[in-house]
Amino acid sequence: MQWQELLFTQGFGTRRICAGLIQQGLVRAGGQTLTDATADVEPTEGMAYQVAGVDWAYHAPAYLMLHKPAGYECSQRPGAWPSIYTLLPGPLRQRPGRNATPGVQAIGRLDQDTTGLLLLSDDGAFIHRMSSPKKLVPKLYQVTTADPVTPQQVQRLLAGVVLDDSPRPVRAAACEATGTHTLDLTLTEGKYHQVKRMLAAVGNRVTALHRARIGALALPADLAPGQWRWLTAEDLQALSAAAPAQEPLRA
Ligand code: URA
């Protein structure tokens, strides 16, 4: 691969712009300033380089996590709130698509007011594996409610509740009260507003919602709201180890 092509795949602009970055002496790798945009490079995962003084690491497919803050929409074209994509640096937003996948995208959506762990990628197979309801990847939500959580509510969430868009009941793969007005709820699917609608179906109301874990991958305590980072090999392993939690309920 040529250096200008490497920069192109990593989202630094058209091949012409990438060649220009190198010709202007703005790209460094291996302790040297590059001068030849057509020089060959055999990139390895995580290979370090600098563009305009900023450190980057080469990643063929992009696998990221973001600590989604409240007040952001998971849409490329948001309505009333800013997009989560504005929290990513330009090159991550501009990476060209890979195969049929159009650039880096959020895997599933969290509501504007929901916080917590959000995965992003441009690897279509990975996106499918993480988001397909058939794959039963468990997602742990920490829920705060308006009214006290009762044992009956927990029992009904575990047994299954019918929402307004389908006769098929949806149930929590796991659910336990963690305080008078808080509960941990694990889901293996991701219907629109599912947690909020499930709590409404048992007569309560969600006042705050935080996604703490996907599969065996927990949101790291040191990743502040609004911050992102690359997924490590260990993170990816924790996600692929995500065991099916249960068979889905039939109507
Ligand atoms: N369920 C919801 O109701 N909202 C979310 O953001 C995620 C799950």
Side-chain angles (χ1 to χ4, degrees):
M1 182 188 289
Q2 295 182 345
W3 262 102
Q4 61 186 5
E5 179 69 16
L6 180 146
L7 293 182
F8 170 71
T9 66
Q10 302 299 290
F12 289 93
T14 62
R15 289 176 180 82
R16 181 192 282 239
I17 288 173
C18 291
L21 290 171
I22 295 169
Q23 284 149 7
Q24 290 168 63
L26 292 171
V27 182
R28 286 179 63 79
Q32 296 193 331
T33 299
L34 306 183
T35 50
D36 180 1
T38 62
D40 278 330
V41 55
E42 275 183 36
T44 50
E45 271 303 300
M47 185 188 81
Y49 62 97
Q50 285 186 332
V51 179
V54 177
D55 288 328
W56 285 93
Y58 173 83
H59 290 281
Y63 304 109
L64 320 170
M65 67 163 80
L66 171 72
H67 184 161
K68 182 193 173 295
Y72 283 80
E73 288 182 31
C74 288
S75 168
Q76 300 270 10
R77 288 182 207 82
W81 303 86
S83 164
I84 51 137
Y85 294 96
T86 62
L87 298 167
L88 302 179
L92 282 180
R93 301 203 303 268
Q94 291 159 34
R95 281 168 69 111
R98 304 181 71 254
N99 306 321
T101 309
V104 169
Q105 53 187 277
I107 303 178
R109 290 188 175 194
L110 293 176
D111 297 335
Q112 167 278 121
D113 51 355
T114 301
T115 59
L117 180 58
L118 186 68
L119 303 177
L120 299 103
S121 182
D122 57 3
D123 175 348
F126 177 76
I127 293 171
H128 177 70
R129 204 163 64 243
M130 286 297 124
S131 55
S132 165
K134 292 201 180 107
K135 304 290 179 187
L136 299 175
V137 178
K139 296 167 189 96
L140 170 67
Y141 293 92
Q142 295 171 334
V143 186
T144 308
T145 57
D147 298 318
V149 177
T150 65
Q152 291 76 14
Q153 288 173 1
V154 170
Q155 220 165 24
R156 284 185 63 198
L157 291 166
L158 284 166
V161 294
V162 174
L163 304 179
D164 50 9
D165 59 351
S166 162
R168 187 178 68 80
V170 289
R171 71 180 179 205
C175 182
E176 64 171 329
T178 52
T180 57
H181 289 70
T182 53
L183 70 152
D184 279 358
L185 183 79
T186 302
L187 298 181
T188 54
E189 50 190 341
K191 284 167 166 271
Y192 181 66
H193 290 333
Q194 184 164 341
V195 175
K196 291 174 184 166
R197 290 197 293 152
M198 286 177 76
L199 265 294
V202 300
N204 209 326
R205 185 166 61 83
V206 173
T207 56
L209 187 56
H210 178 79
R211 185 156 69 190
R213 193 170 351 118
I214 298 176
L217 178 65
L219 180 70
D222 60 357
L223 193 68
Q227 283 188 339
W228 70 277
R229 73 161 168 76
W230 298 104
L231 295 186
T232 63
E234 292 75 33
D235 295 334
L236 289 168
Q237 188 142 29
L239 288 169
S240 65
Q246 59 172 197
E247 287 303 311
L249 279 178
R250 307 268 168 249

